[in-house]
Amino acid sequence: MFSDLMLFNKERTAKQAVGFYFAFLLIGMLAGGLASFLLGGPSASYEEGQLIGWYFSVVVCLILSFIVLYQKGRLNEFGLVLLALLSGIGAALLGAMLGLVFTAYLTTKEIKSS
């Protein structure tokens, strides 16, 4: 379930995609908290930290989605690029909890053979 998390070109099963989702949700939460602390400083308000975390989740979901598409050689497929963009929109609406759903789905797609 949690095997090969950093291999973005791996075709995952549904169970592995769920593991990918939870692992990157946890990693993203820890990294977002650290980014909020480092960028906002210890004297930052809660709202400032929340805003930094929001930006962080949108950017991370978009980057992960496009890395998956690039590694699988599927950047030229319009529908999958829209799903990758939808991960950023989902992250903007409900944070990484929704944005990573689309990213995890993209990991289940097969690698395009050349």
Side-chain angles (χ1 to χ4, degrees), residues 20 61-62 64-65 68 87 99-108:
F20 177 90
C61 287
L62 282 170
L64 280 175
S65 293
V68 168
S87 74
L100 283 174
V101 169
F102 300 106
T103 307
Y105 173 73
L106 290 174
T107 64
T108 64

Side-chain angles (χ1 to χ4, degrees), residues 55-84:
Y55 281 122
F56 186 80
S57 68
V58 171
V59 169
V60 165
C61 287
L62 282 170
I63 288 173
L64 280 175
S65 293
F66 280 101
I67 286 174
V68 168
L69 288 180
Y70 176 75
Q71 291 287 317
K72 291 181 180 256
R74 302 196 70 168
L75 274 174
N76 58 351
E77 295 182 31
F78 184 70
L80 295 181
V81 171
L82 281 180
L83 272 177

Side-chain angles (χ1 to χ4, degrees), residues 3-111:
S3 64
D4 300 326
L5 285 173
M6 295 300 170
L7 289 179
F8 296 111
N9 62 350
K10 180 178 180 179
E11 183 180 344
R12 300 180 195 284
T13 63
K15 184 178 177 183
Q16 289 172 330
V18 169
F20 177 90
Y21 172 81
F22 283 119
F24 274 94
L25 185 61
L26 180 64
I27 291 169
M29 287 169 51
L30 293 173
L34 182 64
S36 295
F37 178 74
L38 293 176
L39 295 174
S43 62
S45 68
Y46 175 78
E47 289 81 16
E48 290 171 339
Q50 190 177 20
L51 187 63
I52 292 169
W54 179 80
Y55 281 122
F56 186 80
S57 68
V58 171
V59 169
V60 165
C61 287
L62 282 170
I63 288 173
L64 280 175
S65 293
F66 280 101
I67 286 174
V68 168
L69 288 180
Y70 176 75
Q71 291 287 317
K72 291 181 180 256
R74 302 196 70 168
L75 274 174
N76 58 351
E77 295 182 31
F78 184 70
L80 295 181
V81 171
L82 281 180
L83 272 177
L85 292 173
L86 199 55
S87 74
I89 293 169
L93 295 176
L94 290 177
M97 287 176 46
L98 181 59
L100 283 174
V101 169
F102 300 106
T103 307
Y105 173 73
L106 290 174
T107 64
T108 64
K109 295 297 184 184
E110 70 247 0
I111 299 171

